[in-house]
């Protein structure tokens, strides 16, 4: 007996998108539905513009074979990746192809109102520049450098985002985009998640799709981790998973963290911490991006401090690796160069049990600065076209 969920148009769409069933016959076989019921469900998907037919190959006589595929061009998504001092935004199709993109200075410490208003303007300009219409935007994804309560989309007690705690980010960003793009849907969905989570999600999908346990460490102005298990982001019960920047070090009692506590890993080994120490040494730096620039030219103090920071992060990662037993550990962010990664490897392999590292790959980012954008866009697409949500959207659209 086929369940209601498995017989829905959204479920058929999932089979088509994943390639599990791409012809009418395969859909009948996979679901147990009759030919007429499959045809009715497909009619809904065709009417919405979500799928299209393509020739399966050269005809061998008789009726040509036809395959069904998801039409990634029927709508677009907007994505933005907020850093501490810079932001990146883009319009993407549903396959993740960037259609228009921009980046620029945007200080997270200015607070949510001006930042989200500015993003709304960026989005409107990008949509216009991409040649698409604002009405074609089906969702917006936002990556932020702070903990996010997934269900509500609210940022909760973010150490480096003053004024953002519990702010209605989804509603305000929707309003800001609508004000700059009058043709946009009034109820366009907005999804928000932590930057390390979204980077991990994008990197795992792009480069390590068969890895069942994937960990990404973002080492920039702050330090965070994203964990992907069986293809899904692990967020914990309220979005707090992966916040390793606030693991306490036994010998860091004098290091004051932005969260107000002493001894946090971020207070000792983050890009922000390195920037402060470099400034004290007479090498001006204000953030992780400044440290990255110094590392790119081989500034000796930056190189030395980055390696030491990697070693401190490696201490914490020895526990993380022992607990999660991942197949891939990815180092990303402003500090993810040779000195920092060398420091991580040195301590990690020294302190973790050989069994937990025997099959561990320690790698660096594949997507680079676009990882957050790619993850934010993928988050939106996977949510909107998940079987239950897709079926509900089709029902809401009416005949």
């Amino acid at each position: 007996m086929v369940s209601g969920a498995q017989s829905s148009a959204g479920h058929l769409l999932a089979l088509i998108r994943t390639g599990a069933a791409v012809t009418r016959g395969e859909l009948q076989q996979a679901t147990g539905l009759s030919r007429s019921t499959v045809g009715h469900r497909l009619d809904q998907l065709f009417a919405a513009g979500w799928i299209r037919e393509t020739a399966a190959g050269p005809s061998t006589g008789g009726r040509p074979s036809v395959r069904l595929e998801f039409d990634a061009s029927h709508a677009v998504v907007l994505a933005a990746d907020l850093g501490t001092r810079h932001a990146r935004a883009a319009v993407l199709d549903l396959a993740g192809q960037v259609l228009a993109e921009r980046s620029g200075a945007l200080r997270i410490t200015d607070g949510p109102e001006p930042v989200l208003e500015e993003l709304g303007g960026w989005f409107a300009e990008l949509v216009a520049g991409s040649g698409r219409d604002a009405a074609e935007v089906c969702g917006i994804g936002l990556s932020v450098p702070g903990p996010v309560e997934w269900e509500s989309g609210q940022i909760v007690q973010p150490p480096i985002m003053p004024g953002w705690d519990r702010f209605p980010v989804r509603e305000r960003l929707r309003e800001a985009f609508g004000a700059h793009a009058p043709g946009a849907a009034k109820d366009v969905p907005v999804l928000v998640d932590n930057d390390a989570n979204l980077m991990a999600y994008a990197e795992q999908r792009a480069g390590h799709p068969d890895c069942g346990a994937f960990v990404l460490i973002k080492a920039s102005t702050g330090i965070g981790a994203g964990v992907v298990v069986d293809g899904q982001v692990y967020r914990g019960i309220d979005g707090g998973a992966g916040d390793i920047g606030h693991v306490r070090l036994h010998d860091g009692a004098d290091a004051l963290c932005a969260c107000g506590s002493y001894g946090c890993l971020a207070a000792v080994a983050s890009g922000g911490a390195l920037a402060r120490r470099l400034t004290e040494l007479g090498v001006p730096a204000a953030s992780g991006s400044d440290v990255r620039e110094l590392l790119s030219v081989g500034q000796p103090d930056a190189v030395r401090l980055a390696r030491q920071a990697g070693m401190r992060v490696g201490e914490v990662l020895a526990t993380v690796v022992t607990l999660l037993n991942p197949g891939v550990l990815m180092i990303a962010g402003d500090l993810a160069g040779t000195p920092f990664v060398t420091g991580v490897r040195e301590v990690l392999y020294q302190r973790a049990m050989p069994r937990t590292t025997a099959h561990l790959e320690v790698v660096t980012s594949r997507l680079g600065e676009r990882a957050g954008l790619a993850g934010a866009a993928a988050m939106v697409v996977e949510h909107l076209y998940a079987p239950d949500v897709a079926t509900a959207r089709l029902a809401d659209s009416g005949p």
Side-chain angles (χ1 to χ4, degrees), residues 99-118:
L99 306 179
E101 181 181 3
R102 70 167 288 180
S103 61
L106 202 57
R107 299 179 65 90
I108 202 106
T109 53
D110 288 344
E113 283 288 355
V115 169
L116 297 176
E117 177 64 25
E118 184 76 7

Side-chain angles (χ1 to χ4, degrees), residues 322-349:
T322 301
L323 178 66
L324 296 179
N325 190 207
V328 175
L329 172 64
M330 178 174 285
I331 311 298
D334 290 326
L335 301 186
T338 299
F340 185 86
V341 175
T342 298
V344 169
R345 286 176 177 273
E346 181 178 340
V347 174
L348 174 62
Y349 285 104

